[in-house]
Amino acid sequence: MSVMPADQASRLRDLMNARPAVATAPLPRPEARPVAAARPAGFSRTAKIIAIASGKGGVGKTNIAVNLAIALAHAGRSVVLVDADLGTANADLLLDAPAPYDLSHVIRGKRTIDEVTITLDSGPRFIRGASGLSSAADLDTFERERLVDQLARLERQTDFILLDCGAGISRNVAAFAQAADELLLVTTPEPTALTDAYALVKVLAHSGHLPSLGLVVNQAASIREAQLVADRIAAVAERFLGLSLESRGHILRDQHVARAVRQRTPFVLAYPRCPAAACIAALARRVDSPSPDRPDRPSFFGRVLGLFY
Ligand SMILES: Nc1ncnc2c1ncn2[C@@H]1O[C@H](COP(=O)(O)OP(=O)(O)O)[C@@H](O)[C@H]1O
Ligand SMILES: [Mg+2]
């Protein structure tokens, strides 16, 4: 989905083609809006929450989420991977982990969060995405409260929560992104993926508070290509949105990825010495670096669901 006005798409294109920057006044820096939900009494959190998002589908979010979760678990961290794509959840297919229950069972009060969380042989815990729900906005008040209450338990139990978000701009993605500690924006070097990634950041920036933004260039032909792409999109985000978009790394284009997908085995397990697996290891090290204290941040899930009240 692309919602970028033609003038901005062409600005990005200009920069991508390394032409001189167009002399256009930068957009004003978006104001951070206060989050809607009050911090429920007694909520505390320790987990670092990372939302993995992209403008366009098929750029590699699920592969990055799954393999990053496994790499972090192998580094000794406790990790919960949540398939947060409420419309078209499919991380379970990549993991070949047919969990009997998913988030919809929690929402409907049929199961607790612990009952829908499975522990993968490779280390991370995994929560299958809700099937049969078009949007979290469809939830009624009781369902939301139940989900908040259940998901908030995770925050106290784990080091990392990775959210594999749906592609593009939706209310769910905006809510997850705004509530996370870090948004990992995944793009490929393709112009369509880049323009859609920029469009997503732009919409998110104007829709409220944003977490720190990290960029991962996937399917890069070389480190140099990844750096060029990262530099260009960061320059555009800085210039037109006043946002800092830091490179968190890249994943090289690697035929082992598609091969592992066909085998329904994460590539870090199927081909641990492949180039993409080495890139995931580097990404995991960066993600696992200490982050600044977040003493005043309210509970993540409390805020996410608060956005829908
Ligand atoms: N680094 C890579 N190298 C080669 N192919 C890749 C790479 N990353 C992803 N792919 C291909 O892209 C497909 C879509 O990836 P996926 O993680 O499902 O994307 P998304 O979750 O963003 O829709 C994969 O099945 C794989 O074939
Ligand atoms: Mg996906």
Side-chain angles (χ1 to χ4, degrees), residues 4-277:
M4 190 181 319
D7 63 323
Q8 275 165 26
S10 71
R11 270 184 224 150
L12 184 62
R13 223 165 272 133
D14 284 346
L15 277 154
M16 283 172 40
N17 293 335
R19 284 195 230 126
V22 185
T24 310
L27 295 173
R29 194 183 196 100
E31 292 289 315
R33 276 194 226 137
V35 288
R39 181 178 191 154
F43 264 51
S44 63
R45 54 181 297 248
T46 55
K48 180 172 181 179
I49 296 129
I50 300 174
I52 298 161
S54 70
K56 187 173 169 289
V59 295
K61 286 180 306 300
T62 299
N63 272 275
I64 289 173
V66 164
N67 288 280
L68 180 60
I70 293 169
L72 288 168
H74 284 186
R77 303 296 176 207
S78 82
V79 184
V80 181
L81 171 64
V82 183
D83 189 342
D85 185 342
L86 296 181
T88 52
N90 65 359
D92 55 315
L93 298 179
L94 203 62
L95 287 160
D96 199 11
Y101 305 112
D102 62 41
L103 276 184
S104 69
H105 296 96
V106 178
I107 290 161
R108 295 185 183 121
K110 305 271 190 245
R111 295 284 176 255
T112 65
I113 200 80
D114 288 334
E115 287 170 335
V116 305
T117 305
I118 61 168
T119 301
L120 303 170
D121 292 343
S122 50
R125 281 173 288 161
F126 174 60
I127 298 175
R128 192 153 69 94
S131 49
L133 287 178
S134 59
S135 153
D138 294 336
L139 309 184
D140 67 30
T141 306
F142 288 123
E143 289 171 331
R144 271 187 218 115
E145 283 177 358
R146 191 150 49 205
L147 188 56
V148 168
D149 182 57
Q150 292 290 310
L151 289 175
R153 288 160 203 253
L154 288 177
E155 297 182 74
R156 298 188 285 254
Q157 290 175 12
T158 192
D159 297 322
F160 287 95
I161 298 175
L162 302 188
L163 301 163
D164 178 16
C165 297
I169 298 143
S170 70
R171 210 171 167 190
N172 296 328
V173 172
F176 286 131
Q178 287 174 27
D181 296 301
E182 173 154 343
L183 176 75
L184 269 193
L185 181 67
V186 180
T187 184
T188 68
E190 285 183 7
T192 46
L194 270 172
T195 50
D196 285 357
Y198 178 75
L200 175 63
V201 171
K202 180 169 176 285
V203 170
L204 293 176
H206 288 291
S207 68
H209 168 83
L210 267 183
S212 69
L213 296 172
L215 183 73
V216 179
V217 178
N218 188 24
Q219 304 189 38
S222 64
I223 297 175
R224 184 166 160 67
E225 183 188 45
Q227 280 167 346
L228 279 174
V229 166
D231 288 350
R232 283 174 190 160
I233 191 166
V236 177
E238 170 70 43
R239 179 173 162 83
F240 297 109
L241 301 174
L243 288 174
S244 151
L245 190 53
E246 281 180 29
S247 174
R248 285 281 177 275
H250 63 274
I251 316 288
L252 291 170
R253 190 188 310 137
D254 181 349
Q255 57 176 357
H256 294 96
V257 176
R259 215 180 290 165
V261 169
R262 285 195 293 275
Q263 295 166 2
R264 299 183 65 184
T265 307
F267 61 80
V268 294
L269 299 177
Y271 304 103
R273 279 183 287 281
C274 75

